[in-house]
């Protein structure tokens, strides 16, 4: 689950942080989001942690646990959090924040959230996922389920176009190597969004920007291990 940290408490409260600052092939869109505005400082907040401050902590964080770690940026909430993989069952995994909010994934594609408010209750992403993890272009369908104000299911049917764009190098935390960048454009009744994925040759999504819903908007996740 995502823990929304106030910007004024970030510098003093960090226990984990991004690595790969400096001359790495790719700092990752999470760090770019931090530097470029997702954690933009305002008159009411203190400065966002610097790249150096973030970099200094990640090695220690990774040494202190053998679990998979990630960092997540919630774009429209000016907030970010660190996630630990708390459950894994084959293709399905759940990532938790310190305050017990969760994000569920199927091989790296978000299928549910809990504790964010206006949660994505479930998502059927099988046809999109098959193209993404195999780094193929093609068309797919998605189904997202939300709850409305009366606690009734709101089902959104989506059609998607997935394109494999290019290969690039990435190095962040313990993740390094060549990835394929894929774009997923989806549309449905009164909604349209665009997801982006970076996928290893083995089919693992190590970085992504995914649309959670009309309220929560986009979530960027960078895997660190």
């Amino acid at each position: 689950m995502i823990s929304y940290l106030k910007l004024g408490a970030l510098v003093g409260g960090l226990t984990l942080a991004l690595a790969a600052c400096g001359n790495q092939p790719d700092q990752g869109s999470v760090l770019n989001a931090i530097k470029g505005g997702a954690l933009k400082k305002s008159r009411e907040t203190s400065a966002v942690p610097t790249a150096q401050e973030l970099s200094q902590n990640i090695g220690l964080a990774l040494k202190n646990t053998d679990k998979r770690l990630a960092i997540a940026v919630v774009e429209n909430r000016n907030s970010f959090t660190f996630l630990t993989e708390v459950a894994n069952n084959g293709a399905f995994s759940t990532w938790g924040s310190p305050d017990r909010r969760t994000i569920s994934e199927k091989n790296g594609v978000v299928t549910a959230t809990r504790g964010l408010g206006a949660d994505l209750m479930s998502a059927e992403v099988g046809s999109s996922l098959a193209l993404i993890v195999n780094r193929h272009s093609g068309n797919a369908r998605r189904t997202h389920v939300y709850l409305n104000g009366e606690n009734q299911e709101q089902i959104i049917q989506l059609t998607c176009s997935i394109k494999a764009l290019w290969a690039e190098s990435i190095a962040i935390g313990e993740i390094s190597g060549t990835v394929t960048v894929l774009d997923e454009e989806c549309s449905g009744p009164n909604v349209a969004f665009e997801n982006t994925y970076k996928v290893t040759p083995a089919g693992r999504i190590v970085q992504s920007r995914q649309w959670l819903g009309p309220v929560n908007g986009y979530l960027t996740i960078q895997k660190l291990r």
Side-chain angles (χ1 to χ4, degrees):
M1 301 181 175
I2 299 233
S3 173
Y4 300 114
L5 306 180
K6 298 296 184 181
L7 294 183
L10 286 177
V11 174
L14 286 178
T15 56
L16 302 175
L18 284 173
C21 299
N23 296 319
Q24 301 275 5
D26 174 36
Q27 307 308 320
S29 61
V30 173
L31 183 56
N32 292 336
I34 292 172
K35 294 168 65 178
L39 297 181
K40 191 182 299 179
K41 72 177 175 181
S42 69
R43 295 176 184 174
E44 294 80 21
T45 62
S46 63
V48 171
T50 66
Q52 182 178 1
E53 289 171 325
L54 292 168
S55 179
Q56 288 172 347
N57 291 283
I58 189 65
L60 179 61
L62 291 168
K63 288 179 182 178
N64 284 339
T65 180
D66 58 0
K67 293 184 178 181
R68 286 185 172 181
L69 300 175
I71 188 169
V73 172
V74 184
E75 295 183 11
N76 66 2
R77 299 199 184 192
N78 288 335
S79 57
F80 79 104
T81 191
F82 299 95
L83 304 175
T84 302
E85 188 180 53
V86 295
N88 185 288
N89 183 14
F92 297 91
S93 59
T94 300
W95 296 78
S97 70
D99 64 354
R100 299 179 183 272
R101 306 186 189 199
T102 60
I103 298 169
S104 296
E105 297 179 334
K106 183 177 182 180
N107 285 336
V109 176
V110 175
T111 57
T113 66
R114 293 295 183 271
L116 278 64
D119 280 308
L120 173 63
M121 302 308 295
S122 65
E124 173 51 54
V125 298
S127 60
S128 287
L129 181 62
L131 292 169
I132 293 165
V133 298
N134 287 295
R135 293 157 288 137
H136 291 164
S137 300
N139 298 318
R141 292 185 177 273
R142 280 175 167 259
T143 301
H144 288 197
V145 180
Y146 303 91
L147 294 180
N148 62 21
E150 298 178 350
N151 212 35
Q152 297 175 331
E153 284 191 349
Q154 179 184 8
I155 300 173
I156 302 178
Q157 304 286 351
L158 301 152
T159 57
C160 303
S161 175
I162 296 167
K163 295 180 181 178
L165 300 178
W166 59 76
E168 65 182 37
S169 296
I170 186 170
I172 190 163
E174 294 182 359
I175 304 294
S176 64
T178 300
V179 294
T180 300
V181 180
L182 294 102
D183 178 81
E184 179 187 27
E185 294 184 357
C186 298
S187 61
N190 302 313
V191 65
F193 59 88
E194 182 177 352
N195 295 334
T196 305
Y197 308 89
K198 294 186 179 183
V199 186
T200 70
R204 184 185 179 199
I205 298 171
V206 293
Q207 187 185 108
S208 65
R209 179 178 184 261
Q210 302 185 53
W211 189 77
L212 300 180
V215 174
N216 289 310
Y218 286 97
L219 172 73
T220 296
I221 302 177
Q222 171 67 60
K223 303 297 170 57
L224 301 175
R225 169 178 285 147

